[in-house]
Amino acid sequence: MNIKTFAAGFAALTVTVLLNAQPVLADDKPLIWQPSKGSDTSYSVKLGLKLPTRLEPEAGVSMGVNTTKSGTPVDMPIKFWSSFTATKIQTPAYEANRDIGFDLDGNNGNAAITMNYYEKHVATPTIDIERRSSYVMRYDGTAGDWCGVDTTQSIRLSHSPSRTAVIARASGGNGFKVVGAGLGVEKNFGRNLTISGALDKTSGSPDPVAGVKARYSFKW
């Protein structure tokens, strides 16, 4: 499928969602304005519109500039994006979110369709089960063809009394030419300190990779 044809079809789908979505909170802020600084020579801004409706459709453009230390521009990346929420459910014992997005690189024509899934079950009064899945279909603007699907999956079991979680994950990239799996453990100490350990293995690496991290956060 030609990327321009697909982009037109996705735009039409987004318009259909916008027209059929039901309004909710009128005081939600519809404008998206997120400037950011990647480094001393890299800046970007995300501009867009998010409608305060049930499906939360949004669309916009991300523009940036990369410069040398003297201030001379090197390149100006630009990306068009659009997304909407396909499913959003929240009950005391169950939560589910599913969203679909489309990104198009304005410089090289590369594109991606992203589908994200999240589910959370309250299995027992002390154990929660969370599942995350992500599927990405990529389009190579230079070759003019789709280049496969990347996917990631993870399951997290959290035990609230001990403030401990166990995470199992699996992935497939480059059209499933590279697959991987991993296991992780997290432990919270108080409200600010988290220590985690992980063991990961991919088919492209002969040895597994192990690591331990500590994260401290503080809000005021």
Side-chain angles (χ1 to χ4, degrees):
M1 180 186 295
N2 183 277
I3 187 60
K4 292 182 179 179
T5 302
F6 175 81
F10 192 88
L13 176 60
T14 303
V15 171
T16 301
V17 171
L18 293 175
L19 293 176
N20 289 279
Q22 299 298 318
V24 287
L25 298 177
D27 59 349
D28 283 356
K29 297 180 180 179
L31 297 180
I32 297 172
W33 168 260
Q34 297 175 352
S36 62
K37 179 181 178 180
S39 67
D40 290 338
T41 59
S42 176
Y43 307 88
S44 65
V45 60
K46 183 178 182 181
L47 304 171
L49 177 67
K50 179 178 180 178
L51 295 186
T53 61
R54 182 176 60 85
L55 299 182
E56 301 177 354
E58 59 182 42
V61 60
S62 296
M63 298 177 291
V65 58
N66 298 321
T67 68
T68 62
K69 291 184 177 180
S70 63
T72 304
V74 177
D75 57 36
M76 300 181 68
I78 181 171
K79 182 177 72 174
F80 303 94
W81 53 269
S82 176
S83 68
F84 65 89
T85 301
T87 302
K88 189 171 185 178
I89 302 171
Q90 188 163 6
T91 68
Y94 178 73
E95 181 180 347
N97 292 284
R98 294 178 174 86
D99 60 79
I100 300 173
F102 174 73
D103 295 318
L104 174 63
D105 192 310
N107 294 325
N108 54 31
N110 292 343
I113 309 170
T114 304
M115 292 166 281
N116 297 311
Y117 299 80
Y118 171 77
E119 288 184 316
K120 180 179 180 180
H121 299 265
V122 179
T124 72
T126 60
I127 296 178
D128 294 343
I129 301 175
E130 297 175 84
R131 183 178 71 89
R132 297 180 185 272
S133 303
S134 178
Y135 305 90
V136 183
M137 294 178 59
R138 304 189 185 278
Y139 179 86
D140 189 325
T142 303
D145 196 9
W146 296 95
C147 50
V149 177
D150 298 340
T151 179
T152 59
Q153 307 270 347
S154 70
I155 295 179
R156 177 188 180 98
L157 276 70
S158 302
H159 184 248
S160 53
S162 64
R163 304 174 66 89
T164 304
V166 177
I167 306 99
R169 49 185 170 264
S171 63
N174 194 21
F176 291 95
K177 294 179 182 178
V178 178
V179 295
L183 184 66
V185 178
E186 290 184 2
K187 172 70 175 179
N188 292 331
F189 295 90
R191 297 182 178 180
N192 308 111
L193 179 63
T194 301
I195 296 179
S196 61
L199 180 66
D200 294 276
K201 177 71 170 68
T202 64
S203 59
S205 177
D207 300 315
V209 177
V212 177
K213 295 180 180 179
R215 184 176 70 250
Y216 185 84
S217 61
F218 181 76
K219 296 181 180 181
W220 66 88

